Amino acid sequence: MTLAAFTSCSISGPSARRDDELELARNRQRWASASVHDYEFDFQRTCFCPSEATQQVHIVVREDVIVSVVRTSDGHAASSEYTVWPRIDELFLDVQRRLEEHVERLDVTYDETLGYPRSILADIALMAVDDEYALTAGNLRRLP
């Protein structure tokens, strides 16, 4: 599947920020128009977090509610003790929140077909240590 990449950097100024907001709105509308409420996808978080929060997982969503999260490494249920696993809508909210916060760096790649964020790379403050994170979502498939 071909991806449409969109990269932004708040250091570029207000014009780039407006472009980022427009790109978010366009892709959020693409996702809403697709009317996907039952789906599954692979997700991984990269951050300075407990290992339970950074393992790759497979998330199943039915009627916009997460019904299962399993580790892709062994198929066992993933722990939610140290993290909250996201739905696609929550990935959009993460991008929106970071834009509103004017983080130092925000790189987002959207899926060309459905518009959902396939990867989010955020660095809250360039000179701060351990505040960066990445979120990746892929292999999204509609469920009957």
Side-chain angles (χ1 to χ4, degrees), residues 110-129:
Y110 295 96
D111 182 80
E112 187 176 86
T113 304
L114 295 174
Y116 68 92
R118 290 185 57 94
S119 71
I120 302 168
L121 174 63
D123 190 350
I124 311 306
L126 291 177
M127 300 307 290
V129 177

Side-chain angles (χ1 to χ4, degrees), residues 21-49:
E21 291 167 351
L22 288 171
E23 189 71 11
L24 171 62
R26 273 192 295 271
N27 282 290
R28 192 179 248 164
Q29 181 57 46
R30 183 179 291 153
W31 174 254
S33 294
S35 194
V36 180
H37 303 285
D38 299 301
Y39 58 94
E40 61 184 351
F41 68 105
D42 294 329
F43 174 80
Q44 187 162 19
R45 176 183 292 109
T46 304
C47 59
F48 294 98
C49 309

Side-chain angles (χ1 to χ4, degrees), residues 79-122:
S79 171
S80 58
E81 182 176 356
Y82 298 104
T83 192
V84 175
W85 302 110
R87 295 174 294 113
I88 294 298
D89 290 343
E90 291 162 322
L91 296 177
F92 283 112
L93 290 174
D94 185 75
V95 173
Q96 179 181 336
R97 182 175 61 245
R98 297 308 175 194
L99 286 170
E100 290 169 354
E101 293 172 348
H102 300 284
V103 298
E104 295 284 340
R105 179 179 178 199
L106 181 64
D107 299 327
V108 182
T109 303
Y110 295 96
D111 182 80
E112 187 176 86
T113 304
L114 295 174
Y116 68 92
R118 290 185 57 94
S119 71
I120 302 168
L121 174 63

Side-chain angles (χ1 to χ4, degrees), residues 11-12 17 23 90 139:
I11 297 171
S12 301
R17 183 65 57 188
E23 189 71 11
E90 291 162 322
N139 300 321

